[in-house]
Amino acid sequence: MTITALGADVHLIDTAMSGYSGITAAYAILGSKPCLVETGTATSAKTVVDALGSLGVGPQDLATIVVTHIHLDHAGGVGDLAAAFPGARIVVQETGARHLADPSRLMASARRVFGPAMDEIFGELLPTDAARIDAIGALGRVDLGGGRHLEGHHTPGHARHHLGLVDTATGDLYVGDAAGLYIPPEDADPVTGMAPDDPDLAGTMLPGTPPPDFDLGLAIASLGRMRNLGATRLLFSHYGPITRVDDALARADEELRLWVGLVREARSAQLDLDHALALVRERTKDRYAALLARPEVAEKFEALSSSAANIAGISRWLESLDTTAGH
């Protein structure tokens, strides 16, 4: 179990998806009304429960469980955590609320994608009593106690049911997957996410553009919305904090536009998925040289957010544009 104190009663909990460390994070915000942001997968539920226990949060203590969106690496443990903490309210963007109450369609879709590996990677998202679910629309608030709140902002693009969450006491912005993935450098400070004395953004940023919901226009607009929130630090679900807020959001925008351009080129050349993947890898190998020099890290992030899935999500969105234009 790995727990990292980030200051201001915020603690990163490594949920160790598929046994990997440093790939999936949940965050505990302690205080008079303790809150958990993200649950990880169902297979991570015991890890999270034990971590909260070690932080002094017992079964009756957790006030709120918030998920940035309902993808299973973020919300797969909601049912298990709701059972373990029977007093906790469950907060989710309103588009995803029904899937936490009745996850049957979500699970069926995931099983079609992941097949026999589904149970080992994610486990089963258990239903949550609808009476315990609080849905946030465009805006909403989560009470953390003592006048402290999480302000929820709808940030679609990666998924239509995505929330960004700002801590009013610290300026921390929980970005979920709306800004993609941040892979900190090896010598990163655990609180800032930055390498010592490094004037540049030394970590690697990758896009998160899986099907079926990716939409470039919405994603870019959400990045702009997050930029306008004036956050002091970004807390990535994959993985950890970064204090270079404007630089990171600008890089996220750049990554999205780059990948969409490459996939558009592959579609114009009528390349199949394998050849499109080869094209993207060839064109980005210098850009991601620092990550590729750490093959064990590159491998685990590829397992989490595969390049093929990102290409498929972009291709699906481009196809929808072609269909709309055809009408």
Side-chain angles (χ1 to χ4, degrees):
M1 181 197 313
T2 301
I3 302 171
T4 305
L6 301 181
D9 284 333
V10 178
H11 298 263
L12 182 156
I13 299 170
D14 190 331
T15 66
M17 176 178 163
S18 296
Y20 289 119
S21 63
I23 186 173
T24 47
Y27 294 91
I29 308 170
L30 306 184
S32 60
K33 294 185 177 181
C35 175
L36 178 71
V37 179
E38 313 286 49
T39 67
T41 64
T43 56
S44 300
K46 185 179 185 307
T47 296
V48 176
V49 171
D50 290 347
L52 288 170
S54 74
L55 291 169
V57 181
Q60 304 305 319
D61 298 328
L62 192 65
T64 315
I65 297 167
V66 188
V67 291
T68 60
H69 59 301
I70 62 169
H71 290 169
L72 296 178
D73 52 326
H74 297 256
V78 165
D80 295 275
L81 271 293
F85 299 95
R89 302 295 300 174
I90 313 303
V91 179
V92 62
Q93 207 281 327
E94 62 184 5
T95 312
R98 64 190 176 94
H99 294 290
L100 296 187
D102 178 7
S104 55
R105 288 182 60 187
L106 179 62
M107 291 302 299
S109 175
R111 288 189 186 283
R112 284 195 296 273
V113 173
F114 293 98
M118 172 71 197
D119 292 326
E120 181 180 352
I121 297 172
F122 297 108
E124 188 80 16
L125 170 58
L126 301 177
T128 298
D129 182 355
R132 293 179 60 187
I133 298 174
D134 296 330
I136 288 179
L139 296 168
R141 268 192 158 194
V142 176
D143 185 5
L144 301 176
R148 184 177 185 176
H149 296 85
L150 284 180
E151 293 182 343
H153 299 262
H154 190 204
T155 49
H158 170 83
R160 58 187 144 180
H161 42 75
H162 199 290
L163 288 173
L165 300 149
V166 181
D167 186 331
T168 59
T170 65
D172 285 335
L173 171 56
Y174 297 84
V175 294
D177 284 350
L181 291 71
Y182 176 61
I183 305 169
E186 286 185 275
D187 55 349
D189 181 279
V191 175
T192 68
M194 299 299 301
D197 303 319
D198 190 345
D200 300 315
L201 185 60
T204 300
M205 294 195 67
L206 298 171
T209 61
D213 287 350
F214 172 69
D215 183 301
L216 179 64
L218 291 177
I220 296 298
S222 290
L223 288 172
R225 194 172 301 118
M226 291 191 290
R227 194 175 296 114
N228 292 335
L229 292 173
T232 58
R233 183 171 60 174
L234 304 179
L235 298 181
F236 282 79
S237 300
H238 319 292
Y239 177 85
I242 183 170
T243 51
R244 297 289 290 274
V245 172
D246 289 343
D247 289 348
L249 293 176
R251 177 81 67 81
D253 184 304
E254 188 178 304
E255 296 299 328
L256 286 173
R257 295 179 191 274
L258 171 66
W259 278 63
V260 168
L262 292 173
V263 175
R264 184 177 274 122
E265 180 181 336
R267 283 173 56 84
S268 296
Q270 299 184 322
L271 301 182
D272 61 19
L273 179 59
D274 287 343
H275 287 88
L277 180 59
L279 182 148
V280 169
R281 286 179 170 165
E282 174 61 28
R283 298 287 185 84
T284 59
K285 65 181 182 181
D286 292 338
R287 186 180 189 86
Y288 303 141
L291 175 61
L292 296 174
R294 302 162 65 194
E296 73 291 346
V297 177
E299 178 185 349
K300 68 183 180 183
F301 276 91
E302 180 68 16
L304 169 72
S305 177
S306 76
S307 300
N310 286 333
I311 291 168
I314 295 170
S315 187
R316 180 184 174 118
W317 174 71
L318 290 171
E319 186 176 343
S320 74
L321 295 184
D322 292 343
T323 300
T324 302
H327 286 103

